[in-house]
Amino acid sequence: MIIEKVIGNIKQAAQRPAHIERVYLRSDDLVKKIQRVQTDHGKELGIRLKNGKELMDGDILYQDDKNSIIISVIEDDVLVIRPTSLQQMGDIAHQLGNRHLPAQFEAEEMIVQYDYLVEELLQELNIPFAREKRKMNHAFKHIGHSHD
């Protein structure tokens, strides 16, 4: 079966389907427009998205009267940074920006993929953080940049 569009998202669905098959993806697979995947029931699917939409946790790839196939994102190993001041936020944002490290922001948190060097830097700068397993809604994306 080839999937060319996302039908909706289970989080906004009026009712839950009777039977759900899941496709487990890492967050960095959410941006891939073409990929071959397998459901937790062993069904092979091809995903070829045409509309430029990125996949998200809970996206419905297929649905009929009895069955739905839904994306489930695998938790990432991340550092959740919780600066206590604008100064701390500026310091760590500058440091991570120099390393071209992609980050995501949720409420008062800055989230980056786990890296032991970043963990050491946060400890050295005395910036509060926690290492967590977290389901990310979007992939960590590098922004194109060069030092020409």
Side-chain angles (χ1 to χ4, degrees):
M1 178 184 324
I2 304 289
I3 305 297
E4 294 184 329
K5 66 179 183 172
V6 172
I7 296 169
N9 193 291
I10 194 72
K11 295 171 186 171
Q12 284 85 40
Q15 64 183 33
R16 292 188 65 81
H19 181 261
I20 295 176
E21 287 185 56
R22 297 200 180 274
V23 171
Y24 291 97
L25 295 178
R26 295 185 351 226
S27 65
D28 54 345
D29 290 331
L30 297 174
V31 296
K32 293 180 181 176
K33 304 299 177 222
I34 299 173
Q35 57 187 309
R36 182 174 298 277
V37 297
Q38 189 172 34
T39 71
D40 59 349
H41 289 65
K43 188 179 294 179
E44 295 239 350
L45 303 172
I47 299 175
R48 183 177 58 209
L49 300 179
K50 293 184 174 183
N51 61 2
K53 180 186 182 310
E54 292 179 8
L55 294 169
M56 292 182 65
D57 185 56
D59 277 351
I60 303 168
L61 300 178
Y62 172 82
Q63 192 165 40
D64 63 20
D65 295 341
K66 299 175 185 166
N67 193 31
S68 292
I69 300 175
I70 297 174
I71 296 289
S72 282
V73 177
I74 298 168
E75 293 178 330
D76 281 294
D77 188 9
V78 296
L79 292 171
V80 180
I81 305 166
R82 298 179 181 98
T84 58
S85 68
L86 189 57
Q87 177 70 42
Q88 279 188 344
M89 177 53 100
D91 288 344
I92 195 59
H94 178 75
Q95 292 280 342
L96 298 180
N98 280 342
R99 297 168 192 228
H100 301 278
L101 193 67
Q104 295 184 31
F105 298 86
E106 292 180 10
E108 302 293 317
E109 301 173 333
M110 179 182 207
I111 304 165
V112 297
Q113 290 174 307
Y114 177 77
D115 180 307
Y116 75 95
L117 293 172
V118 173
E119 183 177 39
E120 289 175 2
L121 175 66
L122 291 164
Q123 290 168 344
E124 188 179 301
L125 295 174
N126 205 24
I127 296 175
F129 74 94
R131 183 176 179 182
E132 297 179 6
K133 293 283 189 186
R134 192 178 279 199
K135 198 180 264 200
M136 302 305 296
N137 289 324
H138 304 284
F140 286 95
K141 294 185 228 173
H142 287 274
I143 296 172
H145 176 75
S146 66
H147 290 277
D148 293 337

